[in-house]
Amino acid sequence: MPLIPEEPQIHESVPGPRATPAAGRTAPTPRPVPGPGPRPAPPRGAPASSVRPGKPGPAAPPRGPVAAPPAQRTNSPQPPAGEPGTAAGAQLQLIPAPADGAVDAADEAVDLLLDSGRAPGEILVLTTGETHPWAAHELSFGEASYWAQHNAADDVFYADAAAERATGRPVVVVAVNGASDEVTAKALPAAMARAGTLLVVCGDPQRINAVLGANA
């Protein structure tokens, strides 16, 4: 099933605790996750700096034509962390990125998900090629402590796409940052099976579509 690149926006609806940003990084205001090329301009009439959804504070007065307001966040329940999803139930989004920029795109997608209210424990990040730096660091202390963090499910977890011990979570982000087409063709359907509500794939759209088309 080929992926069709969409306007790279991640629409989230469920509030949750905010993870502490990594040292030296500032969490961005929710916005489309940028792919190659310039960032998209804000909608006509939108103020230059707006209050994040769900944050108390007076709304800025409208100036000129105002775009339709975003969908309000609700308190509808989400599948618990660790619950595998299904291909039919997960929303699919493709974020264009070169192989050497797929991990950065995935990290920015995670920041945006956290800003939109996702709890850290609801997010699983997978890499098809080189191990994510966080996973490599944690694995240096031993697999026991590494997988204990996975089982605790209280923070974003990073793993290799081929790691069978990585169970499903409501949101799965895949960085297609290398590996053969054969490996990628196996990794993407497996990642979709792990995603409860949302699967975000960061990579080269042409390669991803070609791999999925050959695997169909």
Side-chain angles (χ1 to χ4, degrees):
M1 177 183 67
L3 300 180
I4 300 176
E6 303 173 357
E7 180 67 18
Q9 297 177 349
I10 297 176
H11 302 284
E12 291 302 315
S13 60
V14 181
R18 173 76 184 278
T20 303
R25 294 181 63 184
T26 302
T29 300
R31 64 188 187 281
V33 178
R39 296 173 183 264
R44 266 184 83 189
S49 176
S50 57
V51 179
R52 290 177 178 170
K55 213 170 184 181
R63 296 182 295 176
V66 180
Q72 295 297 314
R73 295 195 303 199
T74 65
N75 291 322
S76 57
Q78 296 289 346
E83 177 179 316
T86 63
Q91 177 188 350
L92 184 63
Q93 182 179 89
L94 173 61
I95 297 179
D100 60 0
V103 169
D104 288 339
D107 286 343
E108 188 162 0
V110 169
D111 286 341
L112 187 55
L113 286 162
L114 295 173
D115 273 347
S116 69
R118 277 288 179 184
E122 295 182 332
I123 304 172
L124 171 67
V125 181
L126 302 173
T127 54
T128 63
E130 186 177 349
T131 303
H132 190 283
W134 182 93
H137 174 75
E138 294 301 320
L139 280 168
S140 68
F141 298 104
E143 289 202 6
S145 61
Y146 171 73
W147 288 110
Q149 293 181 66
H150 166 269
N151 297 336
D154 57 6
D155 202 352
V156 180
F157 190 77
Y158 301 80
D160 188 280
E164 295 182 358
R165 291 179 63 178
T167 57
R169 291 194 178 187
V171 181
V172 176
V173 180
V174 182
V176 183
N177 63 327
S180 66
D181 288 349
E182 182 180 359
V183 171
T184 303
K186 293 179 180 178
L188 294 182
M192 178 170 281
R194 288 174 169 137
T197 58
L198 178 65
L199 173 65
V200 181
V201 182
C202 305
D204 179 0
Q206 291 185 342
R207 183 182 180 217
I208 293 169
N209 284 330
V211 167
L212 290 180
N215 196 48

